[in-house]
Amino acid sequence: MSGKRSCHSSCRYRRSPLTRSARAELQFPVSRVDCLLREGNYAQCLSLSTPIFLAGILEYVTANILELAGIEAYNHGRIRITPEHVERAVDSDPQLSLLFHADANDEVDKMPQSKKN
């Protein structure tokens, strides 16, 4: 037995692998956001923290919308959140209505484009 290591001694200290979502303490899937960012060709290279940051932002905005929609449903005496409650919640919040407003992208399109030589 001299010279041979037992498998049990080396495997004993191995931790179970954690997902990137679990490490960042997020509910949104960081790996899926990463795959979608890379497939979309939005940038030539991405930082390792980019999908984590974006998943965190998406989770925060979603939680905010669901909280407001839950309050809206409670005010109308309902238990379940319906799409109408979500729509009313987004429309009642000034920042969310600005974010999801239909003409928000038109202002970006109207900006003059810089000419590249």
Side-chain angles (χ1 to χ4, degrees):
M1 281 272 190
S2 64
K4 288 188 178 180
R5 288 189 186 171
S6 157
C7 177
H8 299 292
S9 64
S10 64
C11 296
R12 187 177 359 182
Y13 298 109
R14 187 173 216 167
R15 292 188 298 165
S16 63
L18 289 175
T19 63
R20 291 192 284 176
S21 298
R23 277 188 241 146
E25 298 179 359
L26 294 174
Q27 298 298 316
F28 269 56
V30 173
S31 297
R32 185 171 294 172
V33 171
D34 189 19
C35 288
L36 291 172
L37 281 172
R38 292 185 190 282
E39 286 175 2
N41 293 328
Y42 296 108
Q44 290 180 349
C45 59
L46 293 173
S47 169
L48 292 176
S49 61
T50 302
I52 299 169
F53 186 72
L54 183 58
I57 291 172
L58 291 172
E59 183 174 319
Y60 173 77
V61 171
T62 304
N64 194 3
I65 291 171
L66 285 176
E67 181 182 358
L68 293 173
I71 294 170
E72 189 73 30
Y74 179 77
N75 290 341
H76 286 88
R78 303 291 180 178
I79 297 173
R80 291 191 180 108
I81 297 174
T82 62
E84 290 79 19
H85 295 136
V86 174
E87 186 176 359
R88 282 190 216 124
V90 168
D91 289 339
S92 66
D93 189 72
Q95 293 172 338
L96 289 174
S97 63
L98 182 66
L99 179 66
F100 291 110
H101 194 266
D103 295 332
N105 294 329
D106 292 343
E107 293 181 20
V108 175
D109 293 338
K110 292 177 184 176
M111 292 178 64
Q113 298 290 328
S114 61
K115 295 181 181 179
K116 294 182 180 179
N117 292 333

